[in-house]
Every structure is written in structure tokens, then in C-alpha cells.
Amino acid sequence: QIPLSQCKFTDTKNANSLIFPLFRKRPQSLHGPSPVTTFGPKACMLQNPHTVMHIQDPASQRLTWNKPPKSVLVIKKIQDASLLQPFKELCMFLTEVKDMIVYVEKKVLEDPAISDDENFRAITKKFCTFRDDLDDISNRVDFIICLGGDGTLLYASSLFQESVPPVMAFHLGSLGFLTPFKFDTYQSQVTQIIEGNAAIVLRSRLKVRVLKENWEKKARVDEKGIILTNGDNESSRKAVQYQVLNEVVVDRGPSSYLSNVDLFLDGHLITTVQGDGVIVSTPTGSTAYAVAAGASMIHPNVPAIMITPICPHSLSFRPIVVPAGVELKIMLSCDARNTAWVSFDGRKRQEICHGDSITITTSCFPVPSICFRDPVNDWFESLAQCLHWNVRKKQNYLSSEDEEF
């Protein structure tokens, strides 16, 4: 965060009122939290001494290592036969040539195409295995290699709730917007990463806190253990936290009624969403569900949060972009006819009832995604190749003869 003494205000006593006169005094900067610059046990971002603000020039963001990396997590799309050969080749290269400790999810090795391969069995014995939601590998992995589509990068993000190791993603899936590397030259590319010769883009994540109001009936019991009455309703609150790379989606679920949710910004009600739902996305998520719902596309280095309605029952409800430092809260409206449902990067889908709340802020733990060239060129390359951005037939050249008519 930027100290107030470094901000250029004409009146520092009233600096907060100059930023947002209608809101209460802000406890944090509108730029959002300064992202951490250490990723996993050994990786960090090379500091630029000429940087003035905490947001670096995208072209200057480079990967470096405090110590040589020794361990790597390989994430492979499950039950995809086309990835078996690339997975085996990569793992053999990492273990035999680079002498790396390879971490692999246990269910990947349970695939019969891998477990029944006698030639590959000697390699798998050297692997370190883990199970999702049971084993903590946050301080064991130096960097991550993803084989598959964009979903593998989202899954890698979900495994790390705090600092995320650098992620190298190979395009072996369908879309590949977030996977810039081609597998053809994987050996030289992986070698460059191990040597610390790579650009990175810090993909901001959302810190989401779901607070649920649980109502339970407490029965009254006498000294002999006999139930006397059914008792009264008593509430207890349960909070769960998530780190989200793409988006938080609140929708109407299976109900035929419109969703009716209140949207708060820094404690103030800014609007009520009446429609199929609302998407709160990161700049990375702006090219996913949000763009399909009519939102703009935002470069990952822009510190912002995007709010996009899903089929709003209003002609004037347009997507908006708010500063990364704000706190959003979503709750069911008091007069909502039905409950709502929420999901986080397409996972952990759950019902939201009256009294529940979803609080969303920018996380200080981004995903350091390794670039093929640099953050700017990679992004525009993905726009052109994956989304066919601004592709149309060119207008014919107007000759001098045509001008006469």
C-alpha cells in the first residue's frame, strides 16, 4: 500500500474525501493490496530499482531464484489419453536429465494407462504423491508445470491458498488462452525456467469469504435426559475462505424466478441485481465467463475488479470496473423469492440463503504465470489466436479509377 505521505494531495487531512467523498474513510489504498513478490519456497520477482509505485511495468517483471529449484509439481488433465505421452516424456526429462523431485497427484498415477506401463513404473517410484484437500504441498514445490487447457491453471491456483509457485502452462487443451507454451520444444523452455530466464505476469486473485447463517433447533432436556420441548431456533455462523483466479458467479440456480441480490461496495448499497445473476471477476477472468456476458477484456496487469450482470432485467445495467482496493459484499435481498447459488472458478458450488453473505476483495497472493515472450505480447497473441479478436475480411483497396465514380 502507498503511504499517505507519498500521495500528491493538496490537503492531506481531507485526502480520503477527495478520493471518495460519499464513502467512509478508507482503511486501504484504492490500488488494492501490494502483491507478494515471493512465490513458493525459492522463487521471487526480480526487483526493478526504477519502479516508483508498487505496480511494476509489465515488461520489467522477471523471474529469479533465491536458490536453484529442486522440486516441480506436474499437473495433468485427468482421463485424457492424448496427454499420456507428453506427461511421460516430461516426467522422464525432469527426473532423469534435470534430477528434479517431481510431485504428482495420486489420482493421476491411478490411471491404468500409467500404472500398467512397466517401462514407466521405475520412474513413478521416484515421484512424490499427494491428495487434493488432504496434503499440504505449499512449502514443498518450487514451480508448477501444467499440461492441458486453461482448467489446469485454475486447478493449480486452487491448490495454493497463499503464496503460489511460478506456473508454466503448456497448451495441450482446447482453448489455451492462459497456456502460452507449445510442447514441441519443452526441453529448452523448461531449462530456461530452471535457469531463471523468463518473464512473468502476476495474475491477481480474489479473496472470497463466505459467511453462512446456520439455524438449528436446540431442544430443552431435563435432568433425566427426557426431551421437554422442541426449543427455539438458534443461529451460528460459519465462515469459509477461497482464493479465486477467474471469477465468482452468483446465479439463480434451478429456480425459475429472477435472482434478487444486493451488491454493496465498502459497506454501501450500490445496486440490486435482478436477472440471472452477477459475475465478479479478476482481469484474468474478464476473458472467460464475463466476456461471454458482454464485459470488456482487461489486461492481467491492470489492478481492477469487474462486475458483470448476467441477463439483467434492465436495459441500462452495464458491466462496470471498480478499483482493486474496494471491498464488495453480495447478499440476498430481503424480498428475494428464492435462494441463490455461488461458485468459485466453476468449483465448490453452494447455495446462498437469507442472512448469508459473500465478501470479495483483491488477494495479495497472485498467480505468477510464466510468459512465453512477455505479458503484453502473450495477451494480444491469445486474443487473436483463441478469441479471434477483431477478425474480419479486409476492405478492398480503392483505386484511382474507382474514385471517379
Side-chain angles (χ1 to χ4, degrees):
Q1 298 181 2
I2 304 174
L4 187 62
S5 60
Q6 297 180 10
C7 299
K8 296 182 180 179
F9 295 106
T10 54
D11 182 4
T12 56
K13 293 182 179 179
N14 298 319
N16 286 294
S17 63
L18 292 174
I19 297 174
F20 254 114
L22 297 179
F23 291 179
R24 57 178 167 80
K25 289 187 177 182
R26 300 193 47 76
Q28 73 258 21
S29 165
L30 282 173
H31 291 291
S34 299
V36 296
T37 55
T38 56
F39 317 113
K42 298 174 184 174
C44 62
M45 188 167 64
L46 188 63
Q47 297 297 318
N48 183 1
H50 302 292
T51 300
V52 178
M53 295 181 64
H54 66 275
I55 304 170
Q56 283 194 334
D57 175 14
S60 70
Q61 294 178 174
R62 306 289 300 181
L63 173 68
T64 187
W65 300 102
N66 294 325
K67 296 179 181 179
K70 292 295 183 183
S71 59
V72 56
L73 166 62
V74 178
I75 295 178
K76 169 191 167 295
K77 187 177 179 181
I78 305 296
Q79 302 297 331
D80 191 337
S82 65
L83 297 179
L84 290 175
Q85 191 59 34
F87 172 75
K88 294 176 181 179
E89 288 183 18
L90 176 65
C91 291
M92 291 181 67
F93 173 74
L94 292 171
T95 54
E96 301 295 326
V97 179
K98 294 300 180 181
D99 195 27
M100 302 284 290
I101 301 172
V102 176
Y103 282 81
V104 178
E105 196 169 3
K106 191 172 183 178
K107 61 184 178 182
V108 172
L109 300 183
E110 292 172 353
D111 187 342
I114 296 177
S115 59
D116 295 343
D117 189 342
E118 296 182 359
N119 296 327
F120 192 62
R121 192 172 300 166
I123 301 295
T124 59
K125 291 181 179 180
K126 300 179 182 179
F127 291 167
C128 294
T129 60
F130 72 98
R131 290 172 294 179
D132 185 16
D133 295 333
L134 291 176
D135 300 319
D136 182 14
I137 58 171
S138 56
N139 293 321
R140 303 178 190 176
V141 175
D142 293 333
F143 71 103
I144 305 168
I145 296 178
C146 295
L147 302 177
D150 294 344
T152 57
L153 183 61
L154 296 175
Y155 181 66
S157 169
S158 69
L159 295 176
F160 298 87
Q161 293 303 300
E162 292 187 353
S163 178
V164 185
V167 183
M168 182 182 192
F170 285 96
H171 176 29
L172 292 168
S174 53
L175 185 62
F177 194 92
L178 306 178
T179 54
F181 289 93
K182 295 181 180 180
F183 195 76
D184 298 341
T185 56
Y186 75 92
Q187 294 187 3
S188 60
Q189 292 171 343
V190 171
T191 300
Q192 284 187 357
I193 303 309
I194 295 175
E195 293 173 353
N197 183 20
I200 57 173
V201 56
L202 299 185
R203 298 186 179 277
S204 64
R205 295 196 291 179
L206 299 174
K207 182 175 72 173
V208 186
R209 186 170 181 264
V210 180
L211 189 62
K212 290 204 169 186
E213 193 85 25
N214 294 327
W215 293 91
E216 297 179 355
K217 280 195 172 184
K218 301 295 183 180
R220 292 175 56 194
V221 183
D222 66 4
E223 296 177 354
K224 297 180 180 180
I226 300 175
I227 299 176
L228 300 177
T229 65
N230 288 333
D232 300 323
N233 287 338
E234 292 188 7
S235 65
S236 60
R237 291 195 163 189
K238 179 182 178 182
V240 184
Q241 189 165 295
Y242 304 95
Q243 295 282 336
V244 177
L245 178 57
N246 259 1
E247 73 274 300
V248 178
V249 178
V250 179
D251 60 69
R252 59 190 175 95
S255 173
S256 59
Y257 292 114
L258 292 173
S259 68
N260 197 338
V261 296
D262 293 333
L263 180 61
F264 298 84
L265 191 149
D266 287 337
H268 293 260
L269 177 66
I270 58 172
T271 193
T272 297
V273 180
Q274 297 182 91
D276 281 353
V278 64
I279 305 167
V280 180
S281 59
T282 63
T284 295
S286 70
T287 52
Y289 192 178
V291 75
S296 297
M297 295 178 288
I298 306 175
H299 189 275
N301 277 107
V302 178
I305 299 175
M306 174 166 279
I307 302 170
T308 307
I310 307 172
C311 298
H313 201 244
S314 168
L315 296 177
S316 60
F317 196 170
R318 308 304 300 163
I320 62 172
V321 178
V322 296
V326 304
E327 180 184 270
L328 299 173
K329 180 182 282 188
I330 300 175
M331 299 182 69
L332 270 182
S333 298
C334 58
D335 54 353
R337 295 183 178 183
N338 56 290
T339 60
W341 287 77
V342 62
S343 60
F344 314 95
D345 284 341
R347 296 162 55 89
K348 308 292 184 182
R349 187 167 170 80
Q350 54 196 271
E351 191 174 15
I352 299 298
C353 303
H354 285 284
D356 299 345
S357 64
I358 306 167
T359 304
I360 304 171
T361 57
T362 299
S363 171
C364 62
F365 298 106
V367 174
S369 183
I370 299 174
C371 303
F372 178 68
R373 286 188 291 178
D374 61 73
V376 175
N377 280 295
D378 281 11
W379 192 68
F380 279 101
E381 183 75 15
S382 293
L383 288 183
Q385 297 297 324
C386 301
L387 299 183
H388 296 170
W389 178 60
N390 196 27
V391 174
R392 72 178 295 272
K393 186 177 180 180
K394 285 191 175 182
Q395 190 178 46
N396 291 332
Y397 172 73
L398 187 64
S399 65
S400 57
E401 294 179 356
D402 295 330
E403 292 178 353
E404 295 177 358
F405 293 95

